[in-house]
Amino acid sequence: MSAFDAAALRAEFPVFEQTIRGKALAYLDNGATTQKPRAVIDAVTRFYAHDNANIHRAVHTLGERATAGYEGARAIAARFLNAPSPNEIIFTRGTTEGINLVARSFVEPRLQPGDEILVTGMEHHANLVPWHMVCQARGARVTHVPLLDDGSLDLDALPGLLTDRVRLFAVTQVSNALGTVNPIRALVAQAHARGIPVLVDAAQAVAHLPAAALDVQATGADFVAFSGHKIYGPTGIGVLYGRSEHLSAMPPIMGGGDMIREVFLDRSTYAEPPARFEAGTPPIAEAIGLGAALTWFMGLDREAALAHEDALLARATAALAAQPGVRLIGTAREKVTVLSFVLDFAHPHDAATFFDFEGVAVRAGHHCAQPVMARFGVPATLRATFAPYNTEADVEALLRAVARVRRVFTE
Ligand code: PMP
């Protein structure tokens, strides 16, 4: 275990100042959403208490402060991804909206019957359903890179799937159901060699990978989508990074205030990106909260924090793997944060209910990845997902919870 001080980090999160059913909260549902540090809560509160106004059009002091906060958050997001310009950062409601924007604005207009969108067998529904929708509208089809038994991509199959009909390769950087980390840089290089643009679903990657893995200039990704709430920020805010040459050629998919250049009664012209894609009053406080979250996260000793989280995952994995009646789903060598498993003595939903009696919060279900469940022949899994504020005590609580379920269901 690293020397990282998880207890000090944990003290920055007010949510842990409570007990659940008389037990310390072992919050292992970070893959669904992360807890919020005081720095983020304070930034949102401060905005509403002191700076609240609408952005961009006001010349009064509060309007200027709100605009500076919102655009400042965009600059922080650009720095987080090492995007060449803040104009390549579009604020969305989250990963789902970012992917839908690319589907409707970038892909659909250029999709012909017989064309293909390539995905992988480990995608979240957010990176499947938008492609199903545009493909159905255009007579195109979705193809996929299959998974090996350990939950990694079958990379041998990739060259044959990168056909000249593929208009986009949409791939997750980290699987939310398996924890597998995909080799994004190599995948982008292979796709680009065939002239195929790549969208990266970074929802699970942003809080769990080093900066170099998320650097858009290093990976070469054409689009990257992520959600603020999975990286210690508020809900209702996310980021879509898009390379400027793509964004400037893309039509808006939502019309309204703030996205226009000129409006006449019978027609309008559009602003340049990113405003073109941000119609209406945006989630201002949430964007400022996201800026605070990214600043907080970049201020951590990230290497130590991630090493701590990885060590907890490794320890919990080894302990569960050694137990009879436990099957791990997703055992790739390159994986982070996610421990997915099934118990042959209890249904995941029943087990998760008993886990709560121990103060252990995990997720039970298909994790919005039904094709992954089908691939591994299970209807659902239990999923524990780790963050740097988790501790050895949380791992112990998880193991205690499994032991309790075993007692209840087998004795
Ligand atoms: N992709 C992945 C890999 C995810 O884990 C999630 C959230 N579970 C999403 C997309 C969707 O994110 P959101 O619901 O915040 O839009």
Side-chain angles (χ1 to χ4, degrees), residues 94-96 124 126 172 174 176 201 203-204 227 229-230:
T95 311
T96 303
H124 187 281
T172 196
V174 172
N176 70 309
D201 173 350
Q204 294 293 339
S227 305
H229 71 93
K230 292 190 199 279

Side-chain angles (χ1 to χ4, degrees), residues 16-220:
F16 295 117
E17 294 164 9
Q18 65 181 315
T19 53
I20 300 292
R21 298 171 186 271
K23 305 267 167 63
L25 168 60
Y27 186 77
L28 297 172
D29 198 15
N30 297 289
T33 199
T34 52
Q35 297 301 341
K36 317 306 173 198
R38 219 169 260 113
V40 170
I41 298 168
D42 289 351
V44 173
T45 305
R46 207 166 38 241
F47 171 74
Y48 280 127
H50 297 286
D51 304 330
N52 180 56
N54 210 331
I55 57 165
H56 290 159
R57 287 166 303 271
V59 292
H60 56 72
T61 300
L62 294 191
E64 282 173 2
R65 277 195 218 149
T67 302
Y70 183 77
E71 293 304 330
R74 194 190 307 280
I76 294 166
R79 189 154 53 82
F80 177 66
L81 294 175
N82 196 28
S85 162
N87 293 333
E88 296 180 315
I89 300 294
I90 299 164
F91 282 129
T92 62
R93 274 193 302 130
T95 311
T96 303
E97 187 175 298
I99 296 172
N100 275 274
L101 172 56
V102 175
R104 294 277 312 285
S105 174
F106 180 74
V107 170
E108 190 169 357
R110 64 187 69 190
L111 211 53
Q112 300 292 325
D115 281 350
E116 296 167 359
I117 302 297
L118 180 61
V119 298
T120 82
M122 68 173 81
E123 299 307 321
H124 187 281
H125 297 167
N127 201 23
L128 289 174
V129 182
W131 311 122
H132 297 162
M133 290 163 73
V134 292
C135 283
Q136 199 169 14
R138 293 286 170 147
R141 66 194 190 109
V142 173
T143 56
H144 71 274
V145 185
L147 301 188
L148 300 174
D149 288 343
D150 68 354
S152 62
L153 291 179
D154 181 357
L155 293 174
D156 293 342
L158 183 61
L161 289 160
L162 291 168
T163 70
D164 59 9
R165 299 308 307 256
V166 176
R167 295 291 160 258
L168 183 84
F169 181 23
V171 56
T172 196
Q173 190 158 13
V174 172
S175 157
N176 70 309
L178 302 163
T180 310
V181 180
N182 289 322
I184 288 300
R185 206 185 277 225
L187 297 179
V188 171
Q190 285 188 66
H192 282 183
R194 307 278 181 97
I196 298 167
V198 179
L199 174 141
V200 175
D201 173 350
Q204 294 293 339
V206 281
H208 304 287
L209 293 183
L214 302 168
D215 177 334
V216 292
Q217 297 187 57
T219 64

